[in-house]
mmCIF file of all heavy atoms in Angstrom:
data_model
loop_
_atom_site.group_PDB
_atom_site.id
_atom_site.type_symbol
_atom_site.label_atom_id
_atom_site.label_comp_id
_atom_site.label_asym_id
_atom_site.label_seq_id
_atom_site.Cartn_x
_atom_site.Cartn_y
_atom_site.Cartn_z
ATOM 1 N N HIS A 62 15.234 18.578 15.417
ATOM 2 C CA HIS A 62 14.034 19.342 15.077
ATOM 3 C C HIS A 62 14.474 20.506 14.196
ATOM 4 O O HIS A 62 15.479 21.154 14.480
ATOM 5 C CB HIS A 62 13.355 19.926 16.326
ATOM 6 C CG HIS A 62 12.854 18.905 17.269
ATOM 7 N ND1 HIS A 62 11.612 18.331 17.144
ATOM 8 C CD2 HIS A 62 13.420 18.349 18.366
ATOM 9 C CE1 HIS A 62 11.434 17.472 18.126
ATOM 10 N NE2 HIS A 62 12.519 17.460 18.882
ATOM 11 N N LEU A 63 13.703 20.772 13.149
ATOM 12 C CA LEU A 63 13.957 21.914 12.280
ATOM 13 C C LEU A 63 12.674 22.707 12.139
ATOM 14 O O LEU A 63 11.590 22.130 12.070
ATOM 15 C CB LEU A 63 14.382 21.458 10.877
ATOM 16 C CG LEU A 63 15.580 20.538 10.750
ATOM 17 C CD1 LEU A 63 15.739 20.073 9.309
ATOM 18 C CD2 LEU A 63 16.832 21.245 11.222
ATOM 19 N N LEU A 64 12.789 23.988 12.097
ATOM 20 C CA LEU A 64 11.675 24.861 11.746
ATOM 21 C C LEU A 64 12.092 25.500 10.426
ATOM 22 O O LEU A 64 13.023 26.309 10.389
ATOM 23 C CB LEU A 64 11.418 25.911 12.812
ATOM 24 C CG LEU A 64 10.209 26.801 12.562
ATOM 25 C CD1 LEU A 64 8.935 25.968 12.430
ATOM 26 C CD2 LEU A 64 10.060 27.818 13.671
ATOM 27 N N ILE A 65 11.420 25.100 9.365
ATOM 28 C CA ILE A 65 11.878 25.418 8.020
ATOM 29 C C ILE A 65 10.714 25.872 7.151
ATOM 30 O O ILE A 65 9.582 25.436 7.354
ATOM 31 C CB ILE A 65 12.565 24.164 7.439
ATOM 32 C CG1 ILE A 65 13.432 24.476 6.265
ATOM 33 C CG2 ILE A 65 11.573 23.081 7.111
ATOM 34 C CD1 ILE A 65 14.385 23.349 5.931
ATOM 35 N N ARG A 66 11.017 26.781 6.235
ATOM 36 C CA ARG A 66 9.982 27.237 5.285
ATOM 37 C C ARG A 66 10.581 27.266 3.887
ATOM 38 O O ARG A 66 11.340 28.173 3.544
ATOM 39 C CB ARG A 66 9.481 28.619 5.656
ATOM 40 C CG ARG A 66 8.337 29.062 4.756
ATOM 41 C CD ARG A 66 7.713 30.347 5.280
ATOM 42 N NE ARG A 66 7.091 31.030 4.183
ATOM 43 C CZ ARG A 66 7.415 32.231 3.764
ATOM 44 N NH1 ARG A 66 8.340 32.908 4.388
ATOM 45 N NH2 ARG A 66 6.797 32.768 2.758
ATOM 46 N N PRO A 67 10.238 26.255 3.072
ATOM 47 C CA PRO A 67 10.734 26.262 1.694
ATOM 48 C C PRO A 67 10.024 27.333 0.882
ATOM 49 O O PRO A 67 8.859 27.652 1.154
ATOM 50 C CB PRO A 67 10.399 24.862 1.176
ATOM 51 C CG PRO A 67 9.376 24.327 2.089
ATOM 52 C CD PRO A 67 9.458 25.075 3.375
ATOM 53 N N GLU A 68 10.713 27.903 -0.099
ATOM 54 C CA GLU A 68 10.061 28.903 -0.961
ATOM 55 C C GLU A 68 8.870 28.287 -1.677
ATOM 56 O O GLU A 68 7.856 28.933 -1.877
ATOM 57 C CB GLU A 68 11.068 29.471 -1.959
ATOM 58 C CG GLU A 68 12.039 30.435 -1.335
ATOM 59 C CD GLU A 68 12.949 31.084 -2.355
ATOM 60 O OE1 GLU A 68 12.734 30.936 -3.578
ATOM 61 O OE2 GLU A 68 13.903 31.757 -1.923
ATOM 62 N N ASP A 69 8.991 27.032 -2.073
ATOM 63 C CA ASP A 69 7.910 26.286 -2.706
ATOM 64 C C ASP A 69 7.658 25.053 -1.848
ATOM 65 O O ASP A 69 8.518 24.171 -1.759
ATOM 66 C CB ASP A 69 8.305 25.891 -4.128
ATOM 67 C CG ASP A 69 7.255 25.058 -4.844
ATOM 68 O OD1 ASP A 69 6.140 24.899 -4.311
ATOM 69 O OD2 ASP A 69 7.555 24.578 -5.947
ATOM 70 N N ALA A 70 6.500 24.982 -1.210
ATOM 71 C CA ALA A 70 6.209 23.883 -0.284
ATOM 72 C C ALA A 70 6.299 22.513 -0.948
ATOM 73 O O ALA A 70 6.644 21.531 -0.298
ATOM 74 C CB ALA A 70 4.828 24.075 0.341
ATOM 75 N N SER A 71 6.030 22.450 -2.237
ATOM 76 C CA SER A 71 6.103 21.158 -2.919
ATOM 77 C C SER A 71 7.539 20.642 -3.007
ATOM 78 O O SER A 71 7.765 19.474 -3.317
ATOM 79 C CB SER A 71 5.497 21.255 -4.322
ATOM 80 O OG SER A 71 6.282 22.088 -5.152
ATOM 81 N N GLN A 72 8.527 21.495 -2.720
ATOM 82 C CA GLN A 72 9.935 21.097 -2.746
ATOM 83 C C GLN A 72 10.420 20.560 -1.402
ATOM 84 O O GLN A 72 11.565 20.118 -1.296
ATOM 85 C CB GLN A 72 10.804 22.286 -3.162
ATOM 86 C CG GLN A 72 10.591 22.731 -4.592
ATOM 87 C CD GLN A 72 11.048 21.658 -5.569
ATOM 88 O OE1 GLN A 72 12.193 21.220 -5.537
ATOM 89 N NE2 GLN A 72 10.140 21.229 -6.426
ATOM 90 N N LEU A 73 9.557 20.574 -0.369
ATOM 91 C CA LEU A 73 9.971 20.083 0.950
ATOM 92 C C LEU A 73 10.436 18.627 0.896
ATOM 93 O O LEU A 73 11.494 18.313 1.454
ATOM 94 C CB LEU A 73 8.855 20.257 1.980
ATOM 95 C CG LEU A 73 9.215 19.790 3.396
ATOM 96 C CD1 LEU A 73 10.320 20.655 3.981
ATOM 97 C CD2 LEU A 73 7.991 19.821 4.286
ATOM 98 N N PRO A 74 9.711 17.699 0.244
ATOM 99 C CA PRO A 74 10.212 16.316 0.196
ATOM 100 C C PRO A 74 11.580 16.203 -0.471
ATOM 101 O O PRO A 74 12.449 15.450 -0.011
ATOM 102 C CB PRO A 74 9.144 15.573 -0.613
ATOM 103 C CG PRO A 74 7.900 16.370 -0.423
ATOM 104 C CD PRO A 74 8.370 17.799 -0.340
ATOM 105 N N LYS A 75 11.801 16.958 -1.515
ATOM 106 C CA LYS A 75 13.098 16.936 -2.205
ATOM 107 C C LYS A 75 14.194 17.477 -1.280
ATOM 108 O O LYS A 75 15.286 16.916 -1.212
ATOM 109 C CB LYS A 75 13.008 17.766 -3.486
ATOM 110 C CG LYS A 75 14.226 17.705 -4.345
ATOM 111 C CD LYS A 75 14.025 18.478 -5.650
ATOM 112 C CE LYS A 75 15.259 18.446 -6.510
ATOM 113 N NZ LYS A 75 15.084 19.220 -7.738
ATOM 114 N N LEU A 76 13.902 18.554 -0.580
ATOM 115 C CA LEU A 76 14.854 19.134 0.365
ATOM 116 C C LEU A 76 15.195 18.148 1.471
ATOM 117 O O LEU A 76 16.370 17.918 1.778
ATOM 118 C CB LEU A 76 14.286 20.427 0.962
ATOM 119 C CG LEU A 76 15.072 21.067 2.102
ATOM 120 C CD1 LEU A 76 16.444 21.521 1.626
ATOM 121 C CD2 LEU A 76 14.293 22.230 2.688
ATOM 122 N N MET A 77 14.187 17.531 2.063
ATOM 123 C CA MET A 77 14.426 16.600 3.163
ATOM 124 C C MET A 77 15.129 15.330 2.680
ATOM 125 O O MET A 77 15.927 14.755 3.413
ATOM 126 C CB MET A 77 13.117 16.279 3.881
ATOM 127 C CG MET A 77 12.560 17.458 4.670
ATOM 128 S SD MET A 77 13.782 18.237 5.763
ATOM 129 C CE MET A 77 14.220 16.864 6.831
ATOM 130 N N HIS A 78 14.828 14.923 1.457
ATOM 131 C CA HIS A 78 15.532 13.766 0.902
ATOM 132 C C HIS A 78 17.021 14.086 0.784
ATOM 133 O O HIS A 78 17.868 13.268 1.173
ATOM 134 C CB HIS A 78 14.960 13.386 -0.472
ATOM 135 C CG HIS A 78 15.747 12.329 -1.164
ATOM 136 N ND1 HIS A 78 15.623 10.992 -0.862
ATOM 137 C CD2 HIS A 78 16.694 12.408 -2.131
ATOM 138 C CE1 HIS A 78 16.457 10.299 -1.612
ATOM 139 N NE2 HIS A 78 17.118 11.137 -2.399
ATOM 140 N N TRP A 79 17.347 15.278 0.280
ATOM 141 C CA TRP A 79 18.741 15.653 0.120
ATOM 142 C C TRP A 79 19.430 15.758 1.479
ATOM 143 O O TRP A 79 20.546 15.249 1.659
ATOM 144 C CB TRP A 79 18.877 16.974 -0.641
ATOM 145 C CG TRP A 79 20.306 17.254 -0.967
ATOM 146 C CD1 TRP A 79 20.995 16.845 -2.063
ATOM 147 C CD2 TRP A 79 21.241 17.960 -0.136
ATOM 148 N NE1 TRP A 79 22.304 17.259 -1.975
ATOM 149 C CE2 TRP A 79 22.481 17.933 -0.812
ATOM 150 C CE3 TRP A 79 21.149 18.593 1.083
ATOM 151 C CZ2 TRP A 79 23.616 18.535 -0.286
ATOM 152 C CZ3 TRP A 79 22.286 19.189 1.616
ATOM 153 C CH2 TRP A 79 23.498 19.157 0.933
#
Side-chain angles (χ1 to χ4, degrees):
H62 297 274
L63 304 173
L64 184 58
I65 198 164
R66 185 171 155 241
E68 285 185 9
D69 178 8
S71 67
Q72 293 294 304
L73 181 65
K75 186 176 179 182
L76 172 64
M77 290 310 300
H78 173 80
W79 188 88

